[in-house]
DNA sequence: TCGATTATTAACTGT
DNA sequence: ACAGTTCCATAATCGA
């Protein structure tokens, strides 16, 4: 009943937002971008462009420094068990002991986790260069934030869809295997993206690397891509601390939450569990806590001050795929789950054994994401039932469903519709190698296409400060970054 | 109701 | 250009 009071409070604010939003939308010019569905005569259109920016995409060859790292993790059958099976034989019994594999506990230095090529000396220099970059960016970001606090100018900036283009230099293969998660640094003047893949590797791509002023500082053929191996199973969440860019949280199916602390040049181990961790989300108003979905439907909170997980609770019948917080109402949280539902919760109510949600959206099939719009007026859900849900209005009572093909099969990570820079558009992958842009204002859906996009983008991240900069990641480890071409 | 099983799918790998 | 491999997602289908 305490929640009732907040809701009215909350409602009032939302109504104001809705009004503001409507004004914004009506003043917004309609883009009817001609849908050039090149119904692609066949599939073999062009695939050469994707290797525009190649990388050490493959497994390291036999080189001295790598052997050192390999000896720690890969190839490691738990030594105390399974010896009787003989080596290499463990492949034949997939029933047990397969997945948890050689999980490394405790902190790992960034250099140890670094996966590069070339001489050890070059690797050290290259890796150090990234550390310096992130450190410097952390400082400049703090300065610019404190001087003119014009963050608000970005939120609500409208976007001209026609201006979005994909340049070949903004295409790169940054990782082997599926990218499951990516996140662009919340930094005003730089474009750096962090991506995690199914193998537990983390890539950091500094897209401004080739514009670097200090050419003589460049090491080897510096493509701005840095590869680390902090986890041993799929990376399920990446969170960059907005006010401390040198801290990047990662969660993984290996049951660990790590913190890449660039100041300490290490991947700290914050939390470890026998169960998989499926998602990770920072509380926007409590900088020191991250929420994460663990095991079957459980939500858990990591509290940095306490140095441990503070509370847990079962919210769903199956795994929680995403957690997201309302941008204004500090007690409002949304979850999506493979149990077929997305829910909105009052944080004060989720301590009970069987908490009750404020709102539940039933998709009947797995829900892969549920994200609040930048204003908080709308919740967008993406489900395996081929619907994108828009939940808005007073108390989120108004539910509309947009048809969208979300049948990705087995090899493509599930689609998740994300918001751009205002409440106007959602961005989601398209099975025909495009980016679908869903309008919330009852306009026709538009598909972004490019000859340089040779695979299906399934996961996205929008640059928090650069309107129009949208990075899409594929099952093949590529990242395609669309930008807004001025004028 | 709960397991175990299978079909589905796109892109990479390597001849 | 072709075929073989990926393999821990999801839903539908059987069998206990």
């Amino acid at each position: 009943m305490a929640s009732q009071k907040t809701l009215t409070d909350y409602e009032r604010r939302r109504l104001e937002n809705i009004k503001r939003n409507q004004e914004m939308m009506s003043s917004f010019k309609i883009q009817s971008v001609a849908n050039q569905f090149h119904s692609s005569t066949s599939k073999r259109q062009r695939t050469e462009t994707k290797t525009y920016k190649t990388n050490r995409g493959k497994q390291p060859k036999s080189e001295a420094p790598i052997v050192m790292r390999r000896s720690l993790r890969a190839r490691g059958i738990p030594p105390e068990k399974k010896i009787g099976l003989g080596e290499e034989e463990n492949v034949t019994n997939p029933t047990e002991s397969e997945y948890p594999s050689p999980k490394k506990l405790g902190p790992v230095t960034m250099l140890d986790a670094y996966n590069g090529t070339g001489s050890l000396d070059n690797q050290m220099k290259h890796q150090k260069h990234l550390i310096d970059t992130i450190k410097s960016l952390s400082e400049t970001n703090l300065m610019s934030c404190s001087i003119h606090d014009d963050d608000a100018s970005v939120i609500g900036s409208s976007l001209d869809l026609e201006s979005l283009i994909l340049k070949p230099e903004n295409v790169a293969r940054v990782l082997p295997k599926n990218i499951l998660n990516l996140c662009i640094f919340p930094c005003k003047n730089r474009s750096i993206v962090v991506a995690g893949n199914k193998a537990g590797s983390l890539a950091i791509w500094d897209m401004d690397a080739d514009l670097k002023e200090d050419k003589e500082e460049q090491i080897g053929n510096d493509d701005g891509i840095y590869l680390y191996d902090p986890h041993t199973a799929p990376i399920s969440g990446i969170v960059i601390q907005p006010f401390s860019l040198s801290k990047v949280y990662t969660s993984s199916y290996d049951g660990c939450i790590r913190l890449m602390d660039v100041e300490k040049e290490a991947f700290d181990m914050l939390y470890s569990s026998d169960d998989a961790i499926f998602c990770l989300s920072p509380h926007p108003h409590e900088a020191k806590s991250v929420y994460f979905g663990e095991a079957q439907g459980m939500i858990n909170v990591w509290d940095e001050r306490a140095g441990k997980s503070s509370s847990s609770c079962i919210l769903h019948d199956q795994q929680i795929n995403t957690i997201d917080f309302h941008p204004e109402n500090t007690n409002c949280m949304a979850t999506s789950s493979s149990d077929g539902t997305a829910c909105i919760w009052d944080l004060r109510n989720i301590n009970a054994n069987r908490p009750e949600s404020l709102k539940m959206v039933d998709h009947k099939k797995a829900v892969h994401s549920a994200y609040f719009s930048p204003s908080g007026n709308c919740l967008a859900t993406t489900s395996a039932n081929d619907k994108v849900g828009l939940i808005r209005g007073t108390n989120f009572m108004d539910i509309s469903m947009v048809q969208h093909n979300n049948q990705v099969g087995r090899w493509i990570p599930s689609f998740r519709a994300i918001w751009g820079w205002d409440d106007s558009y959602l961005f989601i992958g398209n099975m025909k190698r495009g980016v679908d842009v869903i309008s919330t204002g009852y306009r026709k859906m538009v598909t972004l296409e490019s000859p340089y996009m040779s695979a299906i983008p399934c996961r996205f991240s929008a640059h928090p400060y650069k309107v129009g900069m949208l990075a899409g990641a594929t099952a093949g480890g590529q990242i395609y970054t669309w930008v807004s071409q001025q004028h």
Side-chain angles (χ1 to χ4, degrees):
Chain A
M1 292 310 105
S3 58
Q4 290 293 39
K5 192 193 173 307
T6 13
L7 273 181
T8 51
D9 196 14
Y10 179 27
E11 235 172 86
R12 180 175 44 75
R13 210 168 350 171
R14 189 184 307 114
L15 286 174
E16 289 168 9
N17 279 335
I18 288 171
K19 203 156 147 198
R20 201 174 45 203
N21 231 34
Q22 281 170 341
E23 285 166 6
M24 183 173 69
M25 293 215 255
S26 61
S27 69
F28 190 75
K29 65 175 172 182
I30 298 177
Q31 300 296 330
S32 64
V33 175
N35 277 22
Q36 300 135 337
F37 281 116
H38 335 304
S39 51
S40 47
T41 53
S42 74
K43 39 245 170 148
R44 293 293 115 227
Q45 194 106 325
R46 66 275 155 193
T47 35
E48 322 85 65
T49 47
K50 71 183 163 199
T51 48
Y52 182 82
K53 225 173 184 176
T54 50
N55 182 36
R56 64 205 126 248
K58 268 315 296 170
Q59 296 306 337
K61 311 137 200 182
S62 50
E63 296 201 293
I66 292 152
V67 172
M68 285 162 55
R69 281 192 301 276
R70 288 283 139 176
S71 64
L72 287 173
R73 45 180 291 276
R75 187 73 44 227
I77 313 155
E80 62 276 2
K81 298 182 171 190
K82 302 254 147 221
I83 295 176
L85 287 177
E87 41 202 13
E88 316 277 335
E89 283 295 334
N90 59 331
V91 194
T92 57
N93 61 333
T95 44
E96 46 132 16
S97 80
E98 185 78 28
Y99 212 51
S101 65
K103 186 160 76 179
K104 229 180 346 192
L105 300 175
V108 185
T109 67
M110 284 178 73
L111 184 58
D112 278 345
Y114 185 66
N115 182 344
T117 56
S119 69
L120 180 58
D121 187 48
N122 261 2
Q123 290 193 39
M124 286 176 68
K125 273 156 70 179
H126 193 242
Q127 201 263 142
K128 184 74 177 140
H129 190 255
L130 174 70
I131 289 173
D132 292 341
T133 302
I134 294 179
K135 279 182 181 170
S136 70
L137 151 170
S138 191
E139 286 157 15
T140 58
N141 204 53
L142 279 177
M143 276 163 55
S144 63
C145 278
S146 53
I147 293 172
H148 27 258
D149 188 30
D150 55 349
D151 293 5
S153 67
V154 170
I155 306 300
S157 307
S158 50
L159 170 70
D160 179 358
L161 287 183
E162 264 184 345
S163 72
L164 291 184
I165 57 166
L166 179 60
K167 300 178 185 174
E169 63 263 33
N170 290 332
V171 175
R173 184 182 306 274
V174 301
L175 282 168
K177 302 205 171 187
N178 301 23
I179 295 177
L180 297 179
N181 242 289
L182 75 166
C183 187
I184 300 179
F185 266 80
C187 179
K188 281 191 167 64
N189 41 19
R190 293 293 292 263
S191 304
I192 301 175
V193 61
V194 186
N197 76 354
K198 191 154 66 171
S201 304
L202 199 70
I204 302 175
W205 179 22
D206 180 359
M207 285 182 271
D208 304 321
D210 45 355
L211 323 168
K212 264 198 304 268
E213 56 290 343
D214 47 10
K215 287 286 181 197
E216 73 280 359
E217 271 281 326
Q218 288 203 8
I219 298 109
N221 53 345
D222 185 8
D223 49 12
I225 298 171
Y226 305 82
L227 199 53
Y228 293 91
D229 289 325
H231 290 285
T232 59
I235 289 180
S236 56
I238 300 171
V239 167
I240 304 171
Q241 279 255 331
F243 296 109
S244 166
L245 300 184
S246 59
K247 291 189 184 353
V248 179
Y249 295 91
T250 54
S251 66
S252 168
Y253 283 34
D254 67 13
C256 299
I257 296 176
R258 288 189 181 270
L259 173 62
M260 186 183 85
D261 188 333
V262 176
E263 302 293 334
K264 290 163 69 175
E265 303 190 14
F267 287 93
D268 276 343
M269 171 77 98
L270 297 188
Y271 178 86
S272 157
S273 159
D274 289 337
D275 298 312
I277 295 170
F278 293 104
C279 58
L280 184 70
S281 178
H283 192 297
H285 300 100
E286 295 170 25
K288 296 291 183 188
S289 60
V290 287
Y291 285 62
F292 57 99
E294 187 180 343
Q296 277 212 219
M298 187 165 79
I299 195 168
N300 210 334
V301 188
W302 167 261
D303 185 339
E304 194 178 315
R305 281 164 304 195
K308 62 186 177 66
S309 65
S310 55
S311 60
S312 66
C313 182
I314 291 178
L315 298 185
H316 286 277
D317 292 335
Q318 290 179 51
Q319 73 188 55
I320 297 174
N321 293 313
T322 62
I323 298 170
D324 193 38
F325 291 90
H326 194 281
E328 292 185 359
N329 187 324
T330 58
N331 288 310
C332 190
M333 177 184 80
T335 55
S336 64
S337 167
S338 295
D339 70 5
T341 67
C343 293
I344 299 175
W345 308 89
D346 186 327
L347 279 187
R348 292 162 299 187
N349 286 353
I350 66 164
N351 294 316
N353 282 338
R354 200 58 196 169
E356 200 169 325
S357 61
L358 294 175
K359 179 74 191 171
M360 185 207 277
V361 183
D362 190 0
H363 277 278
K364 305 283 193 239
K365 292 191 182 179
V367 186
H368 294 124
S369 67
Y371 296 126
F372 286 110
S373 65
S375 76
N377 291 333
C378 185
L379 182 78
T381 59
T382 307
S383 168
N385 76 342
D386 283 349
K387 295 280 194 298
V388 171
L390 297 171
I391 298 94
R392 49 195 157 181
T394 308
N395 289 347
F396 292 103
M397 294 303 284
D398 175 15
I399 301 178
S400 52
M401 292 288 172
V402 178
Q403 189 71 27
H404 187 268
N405 175 25
N406 297 332
Q407 299 307 307
V408 292
R410 186 179 188 181
W411 316 119
I412 310 293
S414 57
F415 289 159
R416 296 174 171 179
I418 70 154
W419 294 94
W421 301 267
D422 60 22
D423 286 19
S424 309
Y425 295 116
L426 286 160
F427 298 90
I428 185 171
N430 176 303
M431 288 301 279
K432 292 190 299 193
R433 303 187 184 93
V435 183
D436 282 340
V437 186
I438 295 173
S439 160
T440 54
Y442 306 103
R443 283 189 216 107
K444 210 172 102 182
M445 187 168 74
V446 167
T447 304
L448 306 176
E449 290 176 313
S450 161
Y452 300 116
M453 204 156 67
S454 57
I456 297 166
C458 50
R459 298 287 163 92
F460 293 92
S461 175
H463 195 299
Y465 296 106
K466 294 185 179 177
V467 174
M469 179 173 269
L470 179 78
T474 74
Q478 296 113 315
I479 294 181
Y480 299 90
T481 307
W482 295 75
V483 294
S484 179
Q485 179 85 297
Q486 309 302 340
H487 55 75

